[in-house]
Amino acid sequence: MGAEPTECVPEQPARSRVRRWWAWTPLLGLGIGVLAGVVLRIVGHSGVADLVWAAVTVVALLPAAWSMLRSLWHRHFGVDVIAVLALAGALGVGEYLAGAVIAVMLATGQSLESYAQRRATRDLRALLARAPRTARRRGPDGGIEVVPLDRVAVADRLLVGPGDVVPVDGTVDEAATLDESVVTGESRLAQRAAGEAVASGVVNAGAGFGMRATKTAGQSTYAGIVRLAQEATARKAPMVRLADRYAAAFVPFTLVLAGLGWLLSGDVVRAVAVLVVATPCPLLLATPIAIVSGLSRVARRGVLVRDGSALELLGRARTLLVDKTGTLTVGRPRAAETVVAPGGDRDEVLRLAASVEQLSPHVLATALVRQARDRGLTLTEPTGVTEEPGRGVSGRVGGRLVRVGQFTGELPEWADRARVRTELAGWSAVWVSDDGGPLGAVLLEDPVRPDARRTVRRLRAAGLGRIVMVTGDQPATAAQVAAAVGVDDVLARCTPQEKVARVRAEADRAVTVMVGDGVNDAPALAEAHVGVAMGATGANASADVADAVLTVDRLDRLADAVEIARYARRIAVQSATVGMGLAVLAMLVAAAGRLPPVAGAFLQEGIDVLVILNALRALGGGLRRRDVPPPTRELLARYAGEHQAVRDVLAGLRDTADLVATDPGSSRCLPAVRETHHRLTEQVLPHEAAEERQLYPELASPLGSGEATSTMSRAHVEIRRQVDLLGAQLAQTEDGRLRPDQLPDLLATLYGLDAVLRLHLAQEEEEFFSLDPSDSAPARG
């Protein structure tokens, strides 16, 4: 027995069909009543026809009046007052057909709203339907037992069978194939290697696998998403703020115009005609349909918004405050580079470090082990492992004592240069040493998300004129990230209290959105008009107070949400404005006595259908981004994977340049330059040529034009020119030595290639590979 849904049981198809038909029953009944009255009138039974129409009017009036009285009891004065007065007025003056048509009009709008809500909330219902309630747990004796989900504890060993829903957050014991579409919106299957994290709620799309729980069910990703989905489906999603703003002016205007028509003419039928054509379906129905449609669309993009009011505010936002760590950056340390002593082996240094760190729970240890496994290195089980808090870990690997962490002795020249470079870049260094001294260092960074800069540009294009980064990090590191992503202002060394104060200050000037992922962000998220939590990796505290949660670990989905919110709000405002404008013209004609109630009712029906159909446009459109076709995504993933090999060449290029700069007379110098040129020629240039020939033409459609890749093509030309120049310089060497007069030009070429290649790789990952939702941008190493 696998994991089963608990929060909500999926409806049976037959029951679901019955409910869908039942939702249209009021409209069908009232419509039949109106047609029956028409038939009776035609055959000469006018009195009976009037009774039927009056009954239809009363059937619609009673629930409308009850709803209005209930709203007034809660001191809420809305546009439903007009609908009630129109129905009552039609009965009072004997315009029974007009009243019946109004009744059908209201029922039509309500049925369309119900249809739109069912369609728009199906994504949220799917989340609830797949919530697991049991898990398979391995017992102490190796047996498997099925236990309720609330009995799963941290560190429990679980088994996830084929087709099962992953019950809690954890790490997989072996390779797994997962369907994450319900949680993230991505249809492509995801592959997870042993030791990688897996979120609850995703479905096992391959063979069964073992996993270790890292969170309880209540703390897991899916539990927070389900809670948010329940709130979103439990609340009515109309655009209350917008409708109320219109109602505040429209209702008094309607009542005054109806009163004037009656007063000046002495004919109460004119007042009823005004009320009939003023029946505000564009406000009662069209605006909620547009907003509910927007809620559905952002849910499909991996963003859950609590209610329509939050979506409306997101659509009006002008300022964005965003946390750095885990939001603009990945939030996990990642190997940026491995430096080694002269003549050392980069892979061997990384292998030794990862072997020792296998047993450490430290986040830096996890980064080292992940990097070694990504590079396919075979790790050795260490012996005699000891850990000194704040200093590092030591242990024997193959009988060799290896220390990983800080290095307290005097650094040799090559290591001191690496230390300075690390400090300038804002990275951290994990030193690897043995009894003879430092062997090398793994330089770790918290990299900027590949899609961060593109997302910031899209947010600006969507109307967010001010973007501020707030972080507790050091000013120098914060400034580097801010420059990389293009924000307007930076607040570094920021405490949670200072974040709250800054959010409050920005919120006083404009509608403000705050994005964060940690517990320390929760107060600021609660203070903003719209708080957005990075729910895929963030803390429960931040998700619980947020108005929206990104269920997929991709910042570009925030831009999707803002664009959809603005589009849905624009459609809602357009529907309300056009509907009310046409209604006002009809009201003026009715007040002048030129539009009888029955004709007015049919005219208003046409206006309502027009604006409701317009509101349904919010179910599509509005996104500036172009979806990437599957073949192009495969190419992006392929070439992104090849970047790791290019970075390996780049690391050797930098080592060669440093060797030429510091020891040009060494016998190792010229062979190192020749080897670098060989690797550039045999690995890098073919990669660039293949991108130019295969990948770039395929990107023309997703990027909008072929010109979008022209800058990258120019970089390819420059890279080839520099490699050819390096070859020409090598051809001028004599007697296996570099001449002193060659050194300036050779160094310029080597360091120039290093700079151009680094910039080019970063630009490709930011501009192109971030288009692929599979997070294909490679880890740096």
Side-chain angles (χ1 to χ4, degrees):
M1 185 171 68
E4 299 175 16
T6 180
E7 302 294 341
C8 177
V9 177
E11 291 181 319
Q12 296 297 324
R15 184 186 302 175
S16 180
R17 285 195 296 271
V18 168
R19 289 188 177 184
R20 288 198 296 269
W21 278 107
W22 182 256
W24 295 92
T25 300
L27 173 61
L28 292 173
L30 295 176
I32 291 171
V34 172
L35 291 177
V38 171
V39 172
L40 288 169
R41 175 65 67 89
I42 292 175
V43 299
H45 298 290
S46 300
V48 179
D50 286 343
L51 287 176
V52 171
W53 289 333
V56 169
T57 305
V58 170
V59 168
L61 174 61
L62 292 178
W66 174 248
S67 176
M68 180 196 71
L69 291 173
R70 197 167 46 186
S71 297
L72 292 175
W73 177 262
H74 292 96
R75 298 181 180 180
H76 177 75
F77 182 76
V79 290
D80 51 352
V81 172
I82 300 175
V84 172
L85 291 177
L87 290 168
L91 284 175
V93 300
E95 293 285 349
Y96 303 121
L97 177 57
V101 172
I102 297 171
V104 171
M105 174 181 61
L106 291 175
T108 301
Q110 289 165 353
S111 297
L112 284 173
E113 179 188 26
S114 177
Y115 162 76
Q117 283 184 323
R118 286 196 307 273
R119 175 175 172 179
T121 58
R122 64 188 176 190
D123 304 285
L124 302 182
R125 290 199 306 272
L127 285 171
L128 298 177
R130 301 182 76 145
R133 65 180 182 185
T134 62
R136 290 190 180 100
R137 184 171 66 185
R138 297 183 188 272
D141 58 354
I144 304 297
E145 59 177 341
V146 177
V147 298
L149 202 59
D150 56 8
R151 286 178 53 191
V152 175
V154 174
D156 276 357
R157 305 299 296 269
L158 307 177
L159 177 65
V160 183
D164 282 358
V165 177
V166 175
V168 295
D169 292 0
T171 56
V172 296
D173 295 334
E174 56 212 284
T177 301
L178 303 171
D179 175 5
E180 301 180 340
S181 58
V182 171
V183 176
T184 68
E186 292 299 338
S187 58
R188 187 164 54 180
L189 297 181
Q191 305 294 328
R192 294 287 179 267
E196 290 191 335
V198 60
S200 58
V202 304
V203 179
N204 180 13
F209 63 87
M211 63 173 287
R212 183 184 295 273
T214 57
K215 291 184 180 179
T216 64
Q219 297 170 334
S220 290
T221 300
Y222 203 64
I225 294 173
V226 166
R227 285 194 297 270
L228 188 65
Q230 287 175 322
E231 293 179 18
T233 52
R235 299 186 187 189
K236 186 174 174 62
M239 196 160 140
V240 176
R241 298 167 185 253
L242 177 63
D244 287 348
R245 285 198 296 270
Y246 275 93
F250 186 73
V251 173
F253 171 77
T254 299
L255 296 178
V256 169
L257 185 61
L260 286 175
W262 183 6
L263 180 65
L264 296 178
S265 67
D267 184 5
V268 69
V269 174
R270 291 194 183 186
V272 173
V274 170
L275 293 174
V276 166
V277 294
T279 304
C281 274
L283 290 182
L284 291 173
L285 302 171
T287 49
I289 288 171
I291 295 302
V292 171
S293 299
L295 288 172
S296 168
R297 292 188 63 206
V298 297
R300 290 199 300 271
R301 305 304 299 184
V303 184
L304 286 177
V305 180
R306 287 191 189 276
D307 54 32
S309 297
L311 190 78
E312 183 213 346
L313 285 170
L314 191 62
R316 293 197 293 124
R318 291 291 179 269
T319 301
L320 172 69
L321 290 98
V322 58
D323 182 49
K324 178 185 77 71
T325 304
T327 305
L328 291 174
T329 65
V330 174
R332 300 181 301 272
R334 199 164 70 180
E337 189 176 335
T338 303
V339 295
V340 295
D345 186 328
R346 199 175 266 103
D347 284 347
E348 178 62 12
V349 169
L350 179 59
R351 189 189 72 83
L352 290 173
S355 295
V356 173
E357 292 280 20
Q358 285 181 94
L359 304 180
S360 174
H362 197 281
V363 64
L364 297 182
T366 303
L368 291 176
V369 174
R370 182 172 60 245
Q371 179 70 6
R373 284 176 172 158
D374 288 345
R375 296 179 67 84
L377 302 180
T378 302
L379 304 186
T380 303
E381 184 175 349
T383 59
V385 176
T386 59
E387 183 165 0
E388 186 177 350
R391 299 291 298 276
V393 180
S394 63
R396 293 192 175 276
V397 179
R400 181 183 186 184
L401 181 63
V402 178
R403 298 180 182 87
V404 182
Q406 295 185 7
F407 186 78
T408 55
E410 184 177 350
L411 292 173
E413 184 180 355
W414 68 268
D416 193 57
R417 290 198 304 270
R419 179 191 59 79
V420 172
R421 189 184 344 155
T422 301
E423 293 175 353
L424 291 176
W427 299 342
S428 58
V430 176
W431 293 96
V432 185
S433 59
D434 62 8
D435 290 333
L439 303 171
V442 181
L443 310 185
L444 299 173
E445 64 172 340
D446 181 11
V448 174
R449 290 176 180 267
D451 58 338
R453 188 173 183 86
R454 178 186 293 275
T455 300
V456 167
R457 290 200 302 265
R458 286 183 58 202
L459 289 169
R460 290 193 190 281
L464 286 163
R466 178 169 170 77
I467 300 178
V468 180
M469 187 181 81
V470 290
T471 178
D473 214 335
Q474 299 298 317
T477 303
Q480 290 180 6
V481 175
V485 301
V487 299
D488 298 303
D489 195 7
V490 183
L491 187 62
R493 285 180 178 166
C494 187
T495 65
Q497 293 76 17
E498 289 172 332
K499 284 185 181 181
V500 171
R502 185 60 178 263
V503 170
R504 188 179 295 124
E506 297 288 350
D508 288 340
R509 293 192 287 267
V511 176
T512 298
V513 178
M514 170 69 194
V515 185
D517 82 319
V519 173
N520 62 334
D521 297 322
L525 294 178
E527 187 67 32
H529 289 104
V530 181
V532 180
M534 300 290 288
T537 56
N540 289 336
S542 59
D544 287 343
V545 303
D547 301 292
V549 173
L550 297 177
T551 64
V552 58
D553 190 23
R554 287 182 61 88
L555 186 61
D556 62 343
R557 299 306 175 84
L558 175 61
D560 290 352
V562 171
E563 289 175 356
I564 291 171
R566 290 197 185 283
Y567 182 72
R569 185 176 184 276
R570 184 165 66 248
I571 293 297
V573 172
Q574 182 186 87
S575 299
T577 302
V578 171
M580 293 299 97
L582 293 174
V584 167
L585 290 176
M587 288 161 59
L588 293 173
V589 175
R594 302 292 184 179
L595 186 66
V598 173
F602 282 105
L603 176 62
Q604 183 61 36
E605 178 81 8
I607 294 173
D608 292 342
V609 170
L610 173 67
V611 297
I612 289 171
L613 291 176
N614 183 68
L616 287 172
R617 289 171 50 218
L619 285 169
L623 274 177
R624 288 179 173 85
R625 66 170 289 176
R626 292 174 169 85
D627 287 329
V628 181
T632 306
R633 290 170 65 170
E634 291 175 4
L635 282 175
L636 286 168
R638 169 187 159 189
Y639 285 104
E642 291 181 7
H643 265 206
Q644 182 56 59
V646 177
R647 289 193 181 278
D648 288 344
V649 176
L650 187 58
L653 170 63
R654 178 58 182 258
D655 287 345
T656 299
D658 289 345
L659 180 60
V660 174
T662 58
D663 194 7
S666 169
S667 60
R668 298 183 296 110
C669 195
L670 185 56
V673 177
R674 292 190 188 280
E675 174 61 19
T676 296
H677 179 259
H678 175 75
R679 296 186 69 187
L680 288 167
T681 303
E682 297 299 319
Q683 293 180 253
V684 175
L685 292 186
H687 167 81
E688 308 291 356
E691 282 186 331
E692 194 72 43
R693 185 175 60 256
Q694 295 180 340
L695 178 62
Y696 286 10
E698 293 296 324
L699 292 174
S701 176
L703 294 174
S705 81
E707 292 299 315
T709 61
S710 60
T711 304
M712 297 296 104
S713 295
R714 180 64 183 85
H716 285 168
V717 172
E718 179 62 20
I719 291 168
R720 175 169 287 279
R721 190 185 74 82
Q722 293 278 4
V723 173
D724 290 344
L725 180 58
L726 180 60
Q729 291 167 339
L730 281 171
Q732 296 175 2
T733 58
E734 299 175 356
D735 302 326
R737 297 279 183 176
L738 294 172
R739 301 194 313 270
D741 62 296
Q742 286 183 285
L743 295 181
D745 288 342
L746 183 59
L747 284 172
T749 302
L750 290 172
Y751 283 122
L753 266 170
D754 178 76
V756 172
L757 270 172
R758 288 182 188 277
L759 176 61
H760 179 64
L761 294 181
Q763 287 177 323
E764 279 194 331
E765 289 165 9
E766 175 187 304
E767 297 293 335
F768 300 160
F769 298 153
S770 63
L771 294 173
D772 181 14
S774 65
D775 192 20
S776 59
R780 301 184 181 189

